[in-house]
C-alpha cells in the first residue's frame, strides 16, 4: 500500500437525470431513465432520434451571459460542475493553496457543435467570417482551462482525451499526481456535450447507436439480449480528490478513498474490443492489485456496460477472468441503462455514482434488463436498487482504440 492516502471529499454532476448531483442520484436509485426524443436539433433524417440530453441547464446561474457566448456547452458544464463541487466539498481555493490545486478533466470530443456551425459559416460566407473564439471554444482542454480560470486553481491544468475512457483516465491521473506529491487537491472527472448532428450521424454510420426510437426510455439495455446499441448522452461528473493529510488539516468530510488504478491497451482494433476481454482484464487486475483488494473482498462493480452487443459480452468475460469463481457473487451495475453513454464524461459521472454507492450503502439497479443475454450471466442487479454495505467498488471505462481504465474506490476507515 502507498504511504499517502487519497480521499474523495466532494462530488458534483450534471446528467440527463438532473442538473445537480442530488437530483441525479435520487432518480438513479429510483430506476428512472433520462433518455428521450431529440430536442437539440431536428433529427428527422437521422437513423437515431433519441438521446440523453441535459434539460433545463442554465449556465447563467454560474457565469455571466457574455462568458456563456464564448464557451461551448462541454466547458459550461465543467465550470458549473466545478463550482458545485467546491461548494459540496466546502473547499475554497485561496491564493496560498492555488498552486497546489490541480485541474485534470477528461473530454473525448470537445466542441464538436462549434466545429459544425463554423464549417457552415465557412462554406456560406468565407474564411473571414470565422469567429476568433472558434479554436478556443473547440479544443477539449478548455474544460480544464476554463475551470482553472473560474476557480483560481493554478496547479497542473490538463485534459485527458482517450475516447470513452477519458473521464476515468482523468481520475487515475489525478490519483497519480497526488501520490507523487505534485498537488494537495485535484478537481477531476469528465465532461462532454456531443449530442450533435455530426456525432449522431457518425456513430450511426458505425452501427453503434440504438434505433429504438419509439421507446426511448427502454432503448439503453446493458446485458439484455434485445440490446441494439448505446444511447448518446451528455453531461459532467467531477470529484475533488485530496491527500488524507490535506483533507484532515481543513476538516473535510471524507466520502470514500481511492486505492487503486489500472490502465491498459488491447492492441487489437480501432473500435472493437478484444473479444476475450484480455485488455479489460489487465486494467481491472492492475487496479485490484494496486488496491490490495482480493476478488472475494470486492463489493460491487460499476460496469462500462454500453448496451452494445460486443462490449457487454466482452466485459462479462473480462470480469470472469479477473474474479474467477467470485464473479457470480459480485453485484454489477449498468448506470448507462438510465443515463445513456456520455462518452468522455462517462467515467466521471459513473465514479461520482460509485462514491455515492459506498457513502449511502445503496447499489443502483440496472433497468431494462428483462431478457438477459445468455452470455451475460452475472448479477447485474436487475431487480432494482439494493441496500447493503458497500466496502469497495471497481469502476470500469473502455474506449475506442482499445484504451481501458479501472479504478477502485473504498469505504474510508481511519
Amino acid at each position: 500500500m502507498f504511504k499517502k492516502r487519497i480521499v474523495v471529499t466532494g462530488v458534483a454532476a450534471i446528467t440527463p437525470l438532473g442538473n445537480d448531483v442530488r437530483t441525479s442520484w435520487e432518480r438513479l436509485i429510483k430506476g428512472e431513465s433520462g433518455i428521450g426524443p431529440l430536442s437539440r436539433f431536428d433529427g428527422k433524417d437521422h437513423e437515431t432520434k433519441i438521446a440523453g440530453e441535459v434539460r433545463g441547464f442554465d449556465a447563467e446561474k454560474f457565469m455571466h451571459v457574455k462568458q456563456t457566448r464564448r464557451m461551448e456547452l462541454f466547458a459550461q458544464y465543467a465550470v458549473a460542475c466545478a463550482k458545485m463541487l467546491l461548494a459540496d466539498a466546502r473547499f475554497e481555493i485561496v491564493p496560498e493553496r492555488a498552486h497546489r490545486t490541480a485541474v485534470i478533466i477528461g473530454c473525448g470530443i470537445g466542441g464538436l457543435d462549434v466545429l459544425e456551425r463554423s464549417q457552415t459559416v465557412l462554406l456560406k460566407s468565407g474564411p473571414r467570417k470565422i469567429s476568433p473564439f472558434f479554436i478556443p471554444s473547440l479544443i477539449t482542454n478548455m474544460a480544464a482551462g476554463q475551470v482553472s480560470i473560474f476557480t483560481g486553481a493554478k496547479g497542473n491544468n490538463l485534459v485527458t482525451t482517450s475516447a470513452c475512457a477519458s473521464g476515468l483516465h482523468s481520475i487515475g491521473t489525478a490519483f497519480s499526481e497526488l501520490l507523487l506529491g505534485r498537488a494537495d487537491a485535484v478537481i477531476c472527472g469528465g465532461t462532454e456535450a456531443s449530442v450533435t448532428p455530426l456525432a449522431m450521424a457518425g456513430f450511426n454510420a458505425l452501427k453503434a447507436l440504438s434505433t429504438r426510437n419509439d421507446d426511448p426510455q427502454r432503448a439503453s439495455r446493458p446485458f439484455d439480449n434485445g440490446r441494439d446499441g448505446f444511447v448518446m448522452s451528455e453531461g459532467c461528473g467531477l470529484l475533488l480528490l485530496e491527500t488524507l493529510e490535506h483533507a484532515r488539516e481543513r476538516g473535510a468530510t471524507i466520502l470514500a478513498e481511492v486505492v487503486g488504478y489500472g490502465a491498459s491497451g488491447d492492441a487489437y482494433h480501432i473500435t472493437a474490443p478484444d473479444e476475450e476481454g484480455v485488455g479489460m482484464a489487465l486494467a481491472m487486475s492492475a487496479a485490484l492489485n494496486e488496491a490490495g483488494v482480493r476478488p472475494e473482498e470486492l463489493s460491487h462493480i460499476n460496469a462500462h456496460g454500453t448496451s452494445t452487443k460486443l462490449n457487454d459480452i466482452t466485459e462479462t468475460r473480462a470480469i470472469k477472468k479477473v474474479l474467477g469463481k467470485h464473479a457470480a457473487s459480485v453485484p454489477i451495475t449498468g448506470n448507462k441503462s438510465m443515463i445513456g453513454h456520455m462518452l468522455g464524461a462517462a467515467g466521471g459521472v459513473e465514479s461520482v455514482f460509485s462514491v455515492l454507492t459506498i457513502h449511502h450503502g445503496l447499489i443502483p439497479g440496472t433497468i431494462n434488463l428483462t431478457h438477459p443475454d445468455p452470455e451475460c450471466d452475472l448479477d447485474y442487479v436487475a431487480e432494482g436498487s439494493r441496500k447493503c454495505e458497500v466496502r469497495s467498488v471497481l469502476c470500469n471505462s473502455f474506449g475506442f482504440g482499445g484504451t481501458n481504465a479501472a479504478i477502485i474506490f473504498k469505504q474510508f476507515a481511519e
Side-chain angles (χ1 to χ4, degrees):
M1 295 294 289
F2 306 109
K3 290 183 180 180
K4 287 188 179 182
R5 297 176 69 183
I6 310 305
V7 294
V8 182
T9 56
V11 291
I14 296 170
T15 78
L17 293 174
N19 289 323
D20 57 69
V21 71
R22 181 182 61 82
T23 306
S24 296
W25 172 253
E26 287 178 355
R27 292 190 65 197
L28 186 84
I29 60 176
K30 289 177 183 176
E32 298 181 15
S33 172
I35 310 303
L38 273 171
S39 66
R40 190 67 51 76
F41 61 91
D42 185 355
K44 65 182 178 62
D45 294 328
H46 286 256
E47 194 174 357
T48 293
K49 307 177 194 304
I50 57 174
E53 297 175 334
V54 171
R55 298 175 186 272
F57 173 70
D58 184 1
E60 292 177 38
K61 290 182 178 179
F62 304 95
M63 63 195 82
H64 192 277
V65 62
K66 288 184 179 179
Q67 294 167 316
T68 67
R69 294 170 184 161
R70 300 175 179 180
M71 194 186 310
E72 284 303 291
L73 201 52
F74 77 98
Q76 291 180 19
Y77 289 161
V79 169
C81 225
K83 288 192 170 186
M84 290 189 285
L85 175 71
L86 296 180
D88 183 68
R90 300 191 304 277
F91 184 73
E92 183 182 358
I93 303 177
V94 294
E96 59 269 25
R97 181 183 283 161
H99 71 291
R100 297 288 297 170
T101 304
V103 181
I104 303 173
I105 296 177
C107 185
I109 294 179
L112 189 57
D113 192 43
V114 72
L115 177 63
E116 295 175 34
R117 297 195 311 268
S118 298
Q119 172 70 356
T120 300
V121 170
L122 178 66
L123 294 176
K124 286 185 176 181
S125 305
R128 294 184 183 276
K129 293 297 183 180
I130 297 298
S131 168
F133 296 107
F134 165 53
I135 295 298
S137 298
L138 168 72
I139 51 181
T140 56
N141 72 294
M142 276 301 157
Q146 292 285 14
V147 167
S148 172
I149 291 166
F150 274 81
T151 64
K154 294 184 177 180
N156 193 358
N157 177 331
L158 62 89
V159 64
T160 52
T161 298
S162 49
C164 303
S166 299
L168 213 57
H169 277 135
S170 152
I171 300 166
T173 303
F175 176 58
S176 302
E177 288 287 283
L178 290 163
L179 288 175
L180 290 169
R182 293 173 175 162
D184 296 322
V186 185
I187 296 168
C188 59
T191 188
E192 200 80 89
S194 293
V195 180
T196 74
L198 187 59
M200 296 288 283
F203 280 108
N204 270 145
L206 286 171
K207 304 299 180 186
L209 297 183
S210 172
T211 56
R212 198 183 290 259
N213 298 313
D214 58 342
D215 198 5
Q217 295 195 342
R218 293 180 176 84
S220 186
R221 313 178 66 84
F223 309 107
D224 188 81
N225 206 34
R227 66 191 184 279
D228 70 329
F230 74 82
V231 175
M232 178 86 80
S233 68
E234 60 178 357
C236 182
L238 299 180
L239 301 86
L240 185 67
L241 267 53
E242 300 181 62
T243 63
L244 178 57
E245 180 183 22
H246 189 263
R248 280 175 170 161
E249 186 180 286
R250 68 179 194 86
T253 298
I254 296 171
L255 303 176
E257 186 170 0
V258 186
V259 291
Y261 167 55
S264 70
D266 285 352
Y268 180 72
H269 191 272
I270 59 171
T271 57
D274 166 16
E275 293 186 23
E276 295 305 313
V278 174
M280 295 177 182
L282 285 171
M284 287 187 266
S285 294
L288 287 165
N289 290 337
E290 188 168 80
V293 173
R294 299 190 302 272
E296 63 271 22
E297 295 175 323
L298 188 64
S299 303
H300 173 50
I301 296 173
N302 194 327
H304 189 52
T306 59
S307 183
T308 57
K309 284 292 183 183
L310 193 52
N311 177 90
D312 294 358
I313 291 173
T314 304
E315 187 170 12
T316 298
R317 290 171 182 164
I319 290 168
K320 290 177 179 179
K321 283 181 186 294
V322 174
L323 300 187
K325 64 181 181 180
H326 300 287
S329 60
V330 178
I332 300 167
T333 287
N335 290 163
K336 292 181 181 70
S337 61
M338 290 169 274
I339 60 174
H341 194 346
M342 296 184 188
L343 308 182
V349 171
E350 289 158 16
S351 289
V352 167
F353 290 153
S354 296
V355 168
L356 293 176
T357 294
I358 292 171
H359 186 65
H360 293 290
L362 187 61
I363 298 174
T366 303
I367 68 170
N368 301 328
L369 182 47
T370 54
H371 298 89
D373 186 323
E375 293 192 66
C376 298
D377 54 355
L378 299 177
D379 176 10
Y380 304 108
V381 196
E383 74 284 357
S385 296
R386 186 179 299 174
K387 184 73 175 175
C388 61
E389 184 181 18
V390 182
R391 294 180 300 278
S392 58
V393 177
L394 166 65
C395 187
N396 287 334
S397 284
F398 314 123
F400 282 177
T403 183
N404 309 301
I407 287 184
I408 306 285
F409 297 98
K410 199 172 182 180
Q411 193 178 71
F412 176 74
E414 295 290 346

